[in-house]
Amino acid sequence: MNQSGKTILIVDDEPLTREGIRKTLEAWSIGRYAILSCSNGTEALELLRSRPVHLLITDIRMPEMNGLQVVEGTRGFAHKPVVIIISGHPDFQYAQTAIELGVVNYLLKPIQKSKLIEAVQQALRMEEERGRVETMEKMVDTRLMQAKTADKNYSAPVQQAIQYVEAHLQDPLGMSEVASQIHLNPSYFSALFKEQTGFTFSEYVARNRIQKAKELLLQTRLTIADISEQVGYQTSKYFIKLFKEYEGTSPNQYRKQIMDADDRMNTSK
C-alpha cells in the first residue's frame, strides 16, 4: 500500500540492475511509496505523462533514448520529478549536462544499498521542500507582495490609498471615492497609482480581495458566499468568476488542492 501517495520510478535497460534497485527500495519503503520500473526511456516518458512521479531514478546509457533525454522530456510537465542519475561509467560530460538539467544526484554502478537509500531519502526531502514552495506560491500573490514591500517608496497619497483599501476591503471601493478620501482628482490619482505601483487601481483592489479570500479559504470553514461577502463582493457568482481569472481554478477547488497538498506533506513527515 502506497501510504504517502508518492511514486518512485526506476528506468534501466539492464534487468538485474533494475530489479536490484526495485527490491532494495521496496524493502526500505515498507509500503510507504509506490515503486515502479521501466526498461526503456520511451516507456518511462509515457508513464510520466500518465501519472505524477515524485522521484525518477534513471540510467544514463540506454538504447534509443538515454536517461538525460528522459529528463529533458519532463520539461514543461505540471509535476516534474526530482531526478537521480545512475551510470556504469564516470563521464564528466554527462555529469555536467545532468547538473544543468537539475538532477539532484549522480550514482555510479555498482551502487551500494546504503548509498542508494541515502540518495533517495535526500531526493525525497528536496521534492517535499519543492512541493512546499509551490504550495506557498499558490497561496501568495508575489506581484502584490512586491508592490506592498515597496510602498515606503510611494508618495504619501498613494500610501494613504493603499492603507484605505486594506482597511475597507469589505466595503465598496470605487476609485473616485478613494481619490476623494485623499483629496486628489480621480484622473490624476489613477495615473499616479498606476505609475508607482504598476497596477491599475481596480486590479490592485481585486488582487487584495483575492489574497484575503485565499487566506479565509485556508484558515476558516466559511462558505464561498460568506467569503465573497467578507471581501467586498455582493454576489458569489462574480467573486467565483474573478477568482478563476486570477487563480485558474474555482475557490472550492483551490481550497481542496491546498488542503490535499498540506495533508500529503504532513503524512510524509
Side-chain angles (χ1 to χ4, degrees):
M1 183 184 172
N2 180 8
Q3 296 166 5
S4 70
K6 293 193 175 185
T7 299
I8 298 171
L9 174 62
I10 303 152
V11 189
D12 199 312
D13 62 314
E14 297 175 4
L16 282 175
T17 304
R18 188 171 68 246
E19 284 303 294
I21 292 173
R22 186 180 64 79
K23 285 176 180 174
T24 298
L25 293 184
E26 281 183 348
W28 160 78
S29 167
I30 327 170
R32 285 175 297 168
Y33 304 96
I35 316 289
L36 307 178
S37 63
C38 293
S39 60
N40 60 71
T42 306
E43 186 186 335
L45 267 182
E46 284 176 13
L47 191 147
L48 284 157
R49 285 191 195 99
S50 68
R51 63 177 291 174
V53 169
H54 301 82
L55 170 59
L56 170 65
I57 303 171
T58 181
D59 189 19
I60 282 190
R61 297 189 181 187
M62 296 184 291
E64 294 179 29
M65 185 184 291
N66 69 39
L68 294 178
Q69 288 172 317
V70 174
V71 179
E72 183 78 47
T74 66
R75 278 187 172 175
F77 281 18
H79 186 100
K80 277 183 65 176
V82 289
V83 182
I84 294 172
I85 287 286
I86 53 177
S87 176
H89 314 273
D91 189 312
F92 176 77
Q93 191 62 49
Y94 276 143
Q96 188 70 29
T97 308
I99 290 165
E100 287 167 7
L101 288 171
V103 170
V104 300
N105 216 323
Y106 190 105
L107 300 176
L108 287 174
K109 299 176 184 177
I111 305 164
Q112 294 177 16
K113 288 182 179 180
S114 59
K115 291 272 187 191
L116 173 66
I117 290 166
E118 186 182 323
V120 165
Q121 287 173 325
Q122 180 193 39
L124 287 169
R125 281 196 297 271
M126 291 175 78
E127 193 274 338
E128 186 179 312
E129 188 55 38
R130 190 175 72 184
R132 190 175 285 112
V133 169
E134 286 171 359
T135 301
M136 285 301 294
E137 284 172 350
K138 285 181 185 174
M139 290 168 65
V140 175
D141 183 333
T142 49
R143 275 194 66 203
L144 182 63
M145 292 303 110
Q146 285 165 3
K148 288 189 176 192
T149 53
D151 70 351
K152 60 181 177 293
N153 301 319
Y154 302 153
S155 62
V158 170
Q159 288 187 36
Q160 288 165 22
I162 285 172
Q163 288 164 12
Y164 186 85
V165 166
E166 290 179 356
H168 295 84
L169 277 181
Q170 197 169 347
D171 306 324
L173 278 169
M175 188 178 65
S176 297
E177 176 211 340
V178 176
S180 70
Q181 288 286 333
I182 57 173
H183 313 295
L184 285 182
N185 170 278
S187 297
Y188 175 70
F189 168 63
S190 174
L192 185 69
F193 194 90
K194 177 74 164 67
E195 181 191 343
Q196 294 189 16
T197 67
F199 294 114
T200 64
F201 178 75
S202 60
E203 185 186 0
Y204 186 82
V205 171
R207 283 180 178 271
N208 269 279
R209 284 174 164 167
I210 296 298
Q211 182 62 49
K212 179 65 178 175
K214 289 195 285 188
E215 291 167 14
L216 292 170
L217 282 165
L218 303 181
Q219 295 168 5
T220 73
R221 294 180 178 273
L222 288 171
T223 66
I224 302 305
D226 286 342
I227 289 173
S228 170
E229 194 177 317
Q230 285 211 18
V231 297
Y233 295 111
Q234 293 180 339
T235 67
S236 54
K237 187 177 179 181
Y238 179 72
F239 165 64
I240 291 166
K241 177 178 176 288
L242 198 69
F243 194 96
K244 279 183 177 177
E245 283 177 19
Y246 279 93
E247 299 300 320
T249 187
S250 71
N252 270 327
Q253 272 299 107
Y254 175 88
R255 180 181 255 167
K256 185 177 185 304
Q257 285 168 7
I258 301 294
M259 294 297 191
D260 286 351
D262 199 41
D263 287 345
R264 284 196 298 274
M265 285 175 200
N266 291 333
T267 305
S268 64
K269 285 177 182 175

